[in-house]
Amino acid sequence: MNIKIYQQMLLILEYLNIGGLIVDSDRRVADLNQNAEALLGLEKSEIKGHNCREVFCGLPCFSSCPLKGVWNDTIKDMDVEFLDEHRQKHRVTRIAAPLYSEQGTPLGCFMVLQDHFPYSELVSRIHYEEQSLKIILDSLNMGVFTVNRNGLLTFFNRAAEKISGYNRMNLLGKEWSILFNQKLCSDKSGLNQAMKNGTSATGESGYMFGSQGENIPVNVDYIPLMNDHGQLVGGFATLQDMTLARELDKAITERYKFHDMIGKSPVMQKIFDMVKVVAKTESTVLVQGDTGTGKDLLAKVIHSESSRRDRPFVKVNCAAIPDNLMESEIFGYVKGAFTGADRDKPGRFSEADTGTIFLDEIGEIPLSLQAKLLRVLEDKAFYPLGSSYLKKVDIRIISATNRRLEQLVQERKFREDLFYRLNVFRIELPSINDRKADLPLLIRHILRNQAAAMKKEPVSISEEAMKQLLNYPYPGNIRELENIIEHALIVCQDNVVMSKHLPLHVFREPGPYPLAGNGDGNNLTRDSAGLDLSTWTDREALLDKLRYNNWHRGKTALDLNIDRSTLWRRMKKHNLL
């Protein structure tokens, strides 16, 4: 277990006033932060190195311990109560995520303790009619809403607006169930039970529907609301955006779920249906699409939905490896194969054994290696460089390209038999311009995820900024959209992204960007806002060369008198991959 990574996570949780513990495979606490000490009411020396069942003495363990067997669900949570040094009860949500080895063996677990006391005391004093407390609730950084006995929304605070993207005036008086998935608004849900039986419910998880139709992971707590006469008049709920927790879970498990792909347009729905079918097979998949359309993500989704999900996923960027090194990188070599080969080195195919290998930019593989790749596809076997022994591998191959392989076949730059071997099941990813209906959904999804990754509170976007983003053509597709939003979030110091926060090129028409002049005929490298324009000129010059050569990287690198790996780095710098 790489404990340094999880120790850094403990420091982050410390900053957020959340307790955190690391438990190893022997059920002993390997490390913890100060908030965990405070919540448990014990010194670090009384916790670290001790069995977790001793530390949580008297409290129930999860029904399926991560160290006892593999969970079906990645995260488990439950509410427990602790007694502090003053014998006062503290209700705490305990969340645990298992930590796995590459072979899927549990190595321990990461545990989070979150105290409900800061807001539970306030909630206990709320009366339905108290407007002064509603003002206080409106200033909290936690989402809050209330409903009457008929289930109609009567209050929706600012934090809830940020989480959902809705303006409260468009929601008040409407049924609260329109905001949540079936799990959170069924007859047995916490809020319905709170209003029916007068009982509280905590830690319900599910999805909230955002203003653009996106699914927002949330945790919700409910309590019944009483008037001064003790009569049940409605329900009160607190709402926590769990986007960051979900991203953390994804980082820990290194798995990608199908719903990480976003799109409601008919073309994307058709692709989703195709992926669901082909992921469960062993078929070779070819992903075709312009640069930045998400070919990498699609390959990861196919792998994570397949029977090989717990085995290696190895990516090879064929465009980033120089031709003279490609064979040794992909197929490996044995000691003495060439000068400097002082040991055996396994290649990418060996690393992917029993799993999936993703060959990105497959059209860039030189003809000299294509025959060897064809043998791997046909026989699942190859000879490492310098070896006379055949190496057998059990792999699934997913390849991707932003070029038309049929055209390369006609130009005799790509083997026809290899093309047919790769083209068993083809998925073509559309550009953003071919799925404009998805843009508002993509913008809000990326904005939410990147704000969470930057440890920012939920950020909204102004109408003017949204309009500008909707009208931009995105030659770099989704990758360019992600970079634009990241730029805006870095510049934005408030909780609303405005037009002024967007990068300069978003406001320009597509095409070469002229340098600003100073009035006397001399060109400047900065515009009136003081922004450096030379980078954008370089980008457009490179883009023109790529277009002239029909995106053929070999010809473009030759025209620019640079090698292909340098070209790849420049393309990456300017978001042209």
Side-chain angles (χ1 to χ4, degrees), residues 330-350:
I330 294 180
F331 299 108
Y333 57 82
V334 296
K335 181 178 179 180
F338 50 85
T339 303
D342 56 355
R343 58 184 175 82
D344 292 352
K345 181 186 176 183
R348 305 294 180 86
F349 275 101
S350 294

Side-chain angles (χ1 to χ4, degrees), residues 189-450:
S189 69
L191 186 56
N192 282 325
Q193 290 299 309
M195 293 188 294
K196 181 180 179 180
N197 304 323
T199 57
S200 299
T202 59
E204 285 201 347
S205 61
Y207 285 93
M208 184 179 194
F209 302 132
S211 60
Q212 299 298 323
E214 70 273 38
N215 291 335
I216 305 166
V218 292
N219 268 7
V220 192
D221 293 346
Y222 309 103
I223 65 167
L225 284 179
M226 308 289 184
N227 62 15
D228 290 335
H229 304 291
Q231 297 172 322
L232 190 65
V233 293
F236 172 97
T238 60
L239 192 67
Q240 289 180 302
D241 186 347
M242 299 302 292
T243 302
L244 178 57
R246 182 171 174 267
E247 290 300 305
L248 178 62
D249 171 44
K250 187 168 70 177
I252 293 173
T253 61
E254 295 183 347
R255 292 182 182 179
Y256 288 76
K257 303 300 181 185
F258 183 78
H259 52 250
D260 281 328
M261 297 186 67
I262 301 297
K264 60 181 179 181
S265 60
V267 64
M268 290 305 296
Q269 290 301 311
K270 182 177 180 180
I271 288 174
F272 293 166
D273 291 340
M274 294 169 66
V275 170
K276 290 175 184 177
V277 173
V278 76
K280 301 185 187 312
T281 72
E282 289 291 304
S283 297
T284 301
V285 179
L286 173 63
V287 184
Q288 180 108 21
D290 291 342
T291 179
T293 50
K295 299 186 290 293
D296 195 330
L297 176 59
L298 180 61
K300 291 174 181 174
V301 170
I302 292 172
H303 172 73
S304 69
E305 292 296 313
S306 75
S307 60
R308 298 174 182 259
R309 66 177 67 89
D310 296 319
R311 309 308 300 159
F313 176 86
V314 176
K315 176 184 175 181
V316 181
N317 189 330
C318 302
I321 304 174
D323 290 356
N324 61 331
L325 297 178
M326 190 169 291
E327 182 174 6
S328 61
E329 282 292 316
I330 294 180
F331 299 108
Y333 57 82
V334 296
K335 181 178 179 180
F338 50 85
T339 303
D342 56 355
R343 58 184 175 82
D344 292 352
K345 181 186 176 183
R348 305 294 180 86
F349 275 101
S350 294
E351 293 172 1
D353 193 16
T354 72
T356 302
I357 190 166
F358 173 47
L359 300 175
D360 197 11
E361 304 297 352
I362 188 71
E364 302 297 329
I365 287 188
L367 274 170
S368 58
L369 287 184
Q370 290 180 20
K372 199 166 185 178
L373 176 59
L374 179 63
R375 176 160 191 176
V376 179
L377 281 163
E378 291 178 339
D379 303 331
K380 297 293 190 296
F382 60 91
Y383 289 98
L385 187 62
S387 174
S388 58
Y389 295 99
L390 198 63
K391 170 73 175 179
K392 299 283 288 185
V393 286
D394 171 22
I395 55 173
R396 181 183 191 176
I397 295 179
I398 302 175
S399 57
T401 180
N402 62 2
R403 303 172 64 188
R404 303 300 300 187
L405 293 184
E406 297 97 324
Q407 182 178 344
L408 295 180
V409 170
Q410 292 176 359
E411 296 173 358
R412 298 185 180 277
K413 296 174 182 176
F414 202 87
R415 292 179 62 111
E416 185 175 18
D417 48 4
L418 176 58
F419 167 66
Y420 288 123
R421 273 291 185 177
L422 293 171
N423 193 36
V424 176
F425 193 95
R426 187 192 306 202
I427 299 176
E428 299 202 18
L429 284 175
S431 67
I432 282 186
N433 290 326
D434 293 328
R435 48 181 298 207
K436 284 286 191 180
D438 289 335
L439 254 181
L441 193 64
L442 285 166
I443 290 169
R444 286 194 56 81
H445 174 76
I446 296 170
L447 188 67
R448 182 179 305 281
N449 282 354
Q450 291 197 354

Side-chain angles (χ1 to χ4, degrees), residues 48-62:
K48 190 172 181 179
H50 290 261
N51 191 291
C52 61
R53 290 172 294 187
E54 297 174 5
V55 173
F56 295 99
C57 181
L59 295 175
C61 287
F62 299 107

